[in-house]
Amino acid sequence: MNYSPLILSFKTATISTLIVFIAGVVLARLIGRSSFRGKSIIEAIILLPLVLPPTVVGFGLLYVFGKNGFIGRLLLDWFDFQIVFTWYGVLIAAIVVSFPLMYQSAAAAFQQYDPNIENAAYTMGASKWRVFWTISFPLAWPGLLSGLVLSFARALGEFGATLMIAGYIPNVTDTIPLAIYFAVESGNMEVAKFWVIIIIALGFSAILWLNWWSKKNMMKHVHK
């Protein structure tokens, strides 16, 4: 049994989750708590991958990062480097499809507590950086953790966009969802069943742990 799909999926999901967590927290903090003209349009663009078919997202990525795409052409001309049909394509697809979940969770997390708590700290002379790390981040952490887990699970199960931009190359772009699809295509049902069980177990474990942690955290607040 070749376990490269498991290793590749975990590698991709871990790195992409780290990236979307940082970017999601920063953007949610800057955009989510602000009011300005065009905010609804920006948030609609950010959340668009949630409602689009993954193949459409993949086509968009292929259009941008392909050899004739704006970014793809620049990378090829300047660095002799291409993203299409490489692991970097897998990573970009995972980032794009999982980022909306992280942003949405982070935006909701930063809006669930009273901003007067932060304002009180500001009036006492605390810097924005200190207020964020000592007040805002801890208060928003439960929601941020939910977004973190959901983003990881989404990246782990990404299929359509990955297939469009990265294709299926054994030991290079063969994530678990792609391994399942092509195992079924080739009639290798035993391999397909194996990876189906693995990815269901991983997704179920992530959701189960998140529910357990949320209930435990809620009970702590109730007892307080």
Side-chain angles (χ1 to χ4, degrees):
M1 176 69 70
N2 180 15
Y3 292 99
S4 66
L6 179 62
I7 297 172
L8 183 64
S9 293
F10 259 102
K11 175 185 174 182
T12 302
T14 301
I15 296 176
S16 67
T17 300
L18 178 62
I19 293 172
V20 302
F21 179 77
I22 296 172
V25 169
V26 171
L27 282 181
R29 183 66 179 174
L30 293 177
I31 299 175
R33 294 288 292 271
S34 304
S35 296
F36 55 89
R37 181 176 296 181
K39 175 182 175 180
S40 297
I41 296 176
I42 293 175
E43 289 192 318
I45 294 173
I46 291 174
L47 299 177
L48 193 58
L50 279 178
V51 297
L52 289 178
T55 49
V56 175
V57 176
F59 177 82
L61 294 176
L62 192 61
Y63 188 81
V64 173
F65 293 101
K67 291 182 179 180
N68 296 320
F70 173 69
I71 297 179
R73 191 186 308 116
L74 289 178
L75 290 174
L76 196 60
D77 292 343
W78 293 359
F79 305 103
D80 192 26
F81 174 77
Q82 71 171 15
I83 288 176
V84 176
F85 301 123
T86 67
W87 174 77
Y88 295 100
V90 179
L91 179 62
I92 289 174
I95 290 172
V96 171
V97 299
S98 61
F99 179 75
L101 288 172
M102 187 66 241
Y103 174 81
Q104 197 172 41
S105 298
F110 285 125
Q111 291 173 357
Q112 70 180 358
Y113 59 84
D114 189 352
N116 289 324
I117 300 175
E118 296 174 338
N119 295 333
Y122 290 138
T123 59
M124 296 175 67
S127 65
K128 289 185 177 181
W129 186 254
R130 184 176 182 183
V131 169
F132 176 78
W133 285 113
T134 60
I135 297 176
S136 307
F137 191 83
L139 289 175
W141 175 241
L144 297 179
L145 181 61
S146 297
L148 189 72
V149 174
L150 292 175
S151 297
F152 181 85
R154 180 66 185 88
L156 199 65
E158 164 51 30
F159 171 75
T162 303
L163 184 60
M164 291 289 287
I165 190 174
Y168 178 73
I169 304 174
N171 300 320
V172 178
T173 66
D174 58 336
T175 59
I176 294 177
L178 292 181
I180 293 171
Y181 177 80
F182 284 96
V184 173
E185 283 286 297
S186 62
N188 196 341
M189 300 304 292
E190 290 303 316
V191 171
K193 288 178 183 177
F194 173 80
W195 289 121
V196 165
I197 292 172
I198 292 297
I199 201 164
I200 289 176
L202 291 173
F204 178 79
S205 299
I207 296 173
L208 187 65
W209 180 86
L210 181 59
N211 288 337
W212 171 82
W213 186 89
S214 298
K215 290 180 180 178
K216 182 180 180 181
N217 190 59
M218 187 180 297
M219 289 301 295
K220 285 183 179 179
H221 287 292
V222 170
H223 289 308
K224 286 181 180 180

